[in-house]
Amino acid sequence: MRLVIIPLCVIVLFSCAAAYDPLDPNGNITIKWDVMSWTPDGYVAVVTMSNFQMFRHIPNPGWTLGWSWAKKEVIWTMVGAQTTEQGDCSKFKGNVPHCCKKTPTVVDLLPGVPYNQQYSNCCKGGVVSAWGQDPSSAVSAFQVSVGQAGTSNKTVKLPKNFTLLAPGPGYTCVTWNVTCTYSQFLARKNPSCCVSLSSFYNETITPCPTCACGCQNKKNCVKSDSKYLKTAGAHTPRRDNDALLQCTHHMCPIRVHWHVKLNYKDYWRVKIAITNFNYRMNYTLWTLAVQHPNLNNITQVFSFDYRPILPYESINDTGMFYGMKFYNDLLMEAGPSGNVQSEVLLRKDQDTFTFKQGWAFPRKVYFNGEECMLPPPDTYPFLPNAAPVKLLNLPSLIFFLLLLLSV
Ligand SMILES: *[C@@H]1O[C@H](CO)[C@@H](O)[C@H](O)[C@H]1NC(C)=O
Ligand SMILES: *[C@@H]1O[C@H](CO)[C@@H](O)[C@H](O)[C@H]1NC(C)=O
Ligand SMILES: *[C@@H]1O[C@H](CO)[C@@H](O)[C@H](O)[C@H]1NC(C)=O
Ligand SMILES: *[C@@H]1O[C@H](CO)[C@@H](O)[C@H](O)[C@H]1NC(C)=O
Ligand SMILES: *[C@@H]1O[C@H](CO)[C@@H](O)[C@H](O)[C@H]1NC(C)=O
Ligand SMILES: *[C@@H]1O[C@H](CO)[C@@H](O)[C@H](O)[C@H]1NC(C)=O
Ligand SMILES: *[C@@H]1O[C@H](CO)[C@@H](O)[C@H](O)[C@H]1NC(C)=O
Ligand SMILES: *[C@@H]1O[C@H](CO)[C@@H](O)[C@H](O)[C@H]1NC(C)=O
């Protein structure tokens, strides 16, 4: 028998209260509660969490799953995960359950636990990849043996009121066809990344908006030359993931810079740089989702991996960049190594391509599934009026093609 609970994790946009993410309309986290076998007083179930979100992963320190038992159930044993508290098991003598709480809170085990405590897809410290990045590690599972439950598919009651922290708030789950919705509003008051822009055709660098990520913590930020950064433990991550930010006018932990670098006859080239301003955070498995109308003709991506994501079958304007394994899939803490960069070559669609009116800049940018704040459009670097955009001459085009072949 298979009881399937589908926490449909839709996403509410930061900018408007739409009930889903237009860049990932089918994104959800599905939790299946499969009853595998019956026991004298209950059943053994496998709980599988699949992250079908294309570009939002569950980063360190991982997920925390909670629920309320419908009756007087207890957890006899758990394999591949554990509850954070045992609760009051005083009425049990001899054989004591793993957890007697009415509302158990479950976390994943850390890597490296003994084999007999492992379950397939367990023990990753609750870290789950985004589906678009690595489907094989977008799943987390554990086994639970439930007692004082029904012992047939007629008498068993599914748990209620699922809650999912992944790792912070943001997901809301509703019971039975359990529906979790992710909302950046619930997760945090301010964005957690911003975008700056520049181009070869105008010297203006459009910075991130001032206080894009909220300036309330400005008094706790540190300058990049601060002596404090040299003290022991200054970079040690905190339990609550509290950031130690470098002082900037935007006060964001992450800045994404989009530079329109070159213009060729049939192609154009963009440089993308992601900078970490948090001294207490290495971002593993980072993702950058971008919406731009020319991504349907992306030709080559240097030093990042890329895959298109098709939020709607007919529109192919969104894609996901992520680090190459063992090369730049780790975005290091703030400092000299705290950035990753890529260049992207796009083929011009002669009907729509233009440098006018900021067309060459992205429409939406998400870092790790969080929407980044873009500068106001009237501050974008403008194409100087009437000045023709210089095309590359033939020799440099040949040089460029050679370069392309040699990479
Ligand atoms: C969850 O996502 C998967 C994969 O995108 C999809 O097949 C499934 O229908 C979604 N479930 C819900 C309830 O939206
Ligand atoms: C589930 O949550 C609702 C609303 O918060 C509450 O009224 C209900 O008692 C909860 N159910 C269980 C079984 O805890
Ligand atoms: C209950 O389980 C039995 C045997 O496993 C199966 O034949 C029956 O269809 C199930 N009933 C329901 C309501 O799922
Ligand atoms: C739950 O799902 C069933 C079938 O999947 C559907 O008929 C029902 O309306 C859903 N209930 C809620 C509250 O979404
Ligand atoms: C980031 O990773 C480097 C290299 O693995 C390590 O030395 C450093 O302590 C890490 N920083 C944080 C904040 O975890
Ligand atoms: C979307 O764009 C990518 C990259 O150019 C291409 O490989 C893919 O075939 C396109 N898909 C559709 C449905 O147009
Ligand atoms: C760009 O992509 C679209 C759809 O993916 C395709 O129809 C069009 O021919 C492409 N344009 C160029 C210049 O390759
Ligand atoms: C460059 O862009 C800025 C900001 O949009 C604009 O004010 C300025 O006039 C542009 N410079 C030129 C030479 O067009």
Side-chain angles (χ1 to χ4, degrees), residues 214-361:
C215 279
Q216 59 271 42
N217 295 324
K218 191 129 198 183
K219 58 181 188 306
N220 297 326
C221 69
V222 293
K223 300 220 173 76
S224 55
D225 58 0
S226 164
K227 285 202 185 78
Y228 175 70
L229 292 173
K230 297 220 166 67
T231 59
H235 299 258
T236 310
R238 298 291 163 96
R239 255 193 100 76
D240 55 6
N241 264 345
D242 229 11
L244 178 66
L245 292 185
Q246 184 179 320
C247 299
T248 55
H249 73 279
H250 51 76
M251 288 297 289
C252 289
I254 292 290
R255 180 188 67 201
V256 178
H257 186 77
W258 179 281
H259 175 64
V260 178
K261 188 176 175 183
L262 282 170
N263 182 31
Y264 310 104
K265 185 164 167 293
D266 294 326
Y267 296 90
W268 59 297
R269 197 174 171 103
V270 171
K271 179 171 176 176
I272 299 172
I274 311 174
T275 308
N276 184 359
F277 291 100
N278 184 354
Y279 287 105
R280 274 194 208 133
M281 174 75 117
N282 287 334
Y283 290 90
T284 51
L285 289 176
W286 59 267
T287 64
L288 184 76
V290 175
Q291 185 181 29
H292 186 283
N294 214 169
L295 286 180
N296 61 347
N297 297 107
I298 200 158
T299 305
Q300 195 165 10
V301 178
F302 300 89
S303 31
F304 285 174
D305 281 332
Y306 176 81
R307 61 172 287 173
I309 48 185
L310 293 165
Y312 309 100
E313 261 159 49
S314 52
I315 309 172
N316 193 357
D317 64 350
T318 307
M320 181 174 115
F321 299 89
Y322 51 101
M324 290 179 167
K325 259 207 169 86
F326 309 122
Y327 175 56
N328 56 6
D329 58 342
L330 175 71
L331 171 54
M332 290 275 279
E333 63 186 45
S337 313
N339 65 85
V340 287
Q341 330 200 347
S342 167
E343 294 202 4
V344 177
L345 189 68
L346 300 123
R347 188 183 173 88
K348 291 179 188 172
D349 191 330
Q350 300 301 348
D351 297 337
T352 52
F353 180 83
T354 175
F355 282 124
K356 286 187 194 137
Q357 287 164 341
W359 190 88
F361 297 114

Side-chain angles (χ1 to χ4, degrees), residues 20-133:
Y20 71 100
D21 190 330
L23 297 195
D24 191 13
N26 297 318
N28 66 65
I29 295 181
T30 298
I31 300 169
K32 281 191 307 185
W33 189 282
D34 288 351
V35 176
M36 307 304 278
S37 59
W38 302 105
T39 59
D41 73 335
Y43 61 90
V44 175
V46 173
V47 182
T48 312
M49 201 183 296
S50 306
N51 181 13
F52 289 122
Q53 300 181 103
M54 289 305 285
F55 50 79
R56 181 173 293 111
H57 71 309
I58 304 182
N60 214 0
W63 52 261
T64 305
L65 185 66
W67 63 77
S68 293
W69 290 118
K71 302 196 286 187
K72 299 234 175 296
E73 291 89 339
V74 295
I75 298 173
W76 281 117
T77 57
M78 223 176 219
V79 185
Q82 63 185 356
T83 59
T84 54
E85 285 170 274
Q86 187 179 31
D88 179 9
C89 293
S90 59
K91 71 188 179 73
F92 291 86
K93 301 281 177 281
N95 204 2
V96 178
H98 174 74
C99 177
C100 301
K101 286 196 69 133
K102 171 92 179 160
T103 55
T105 301
V106 179
V107 294
D108 196 8
L109 300 177
L110 294 172
V113 297
Y115 285 111
N116 63 359
Q117 291 170 34
Q118 290 187 17
Y119 195 77
S120 56
N121 290 313
C122 84
C123 313
K124 300 182 283 193
V127 172
V128 183
S129 294
W131 194 262
Q133 186 171 7

Side-chain angles (χ1 to χ4, degrees), residues 157-178:
K157 283 249 173 30
L158 272 173
K160 295 187 185 343
N161 291 1
F162 277 84
T163 56
L164 178 63
L165 299 176
Y171 292 90
T172 318
C173 306
V174 186
T175 317
W176 187 203
N177 299 355
V178 185

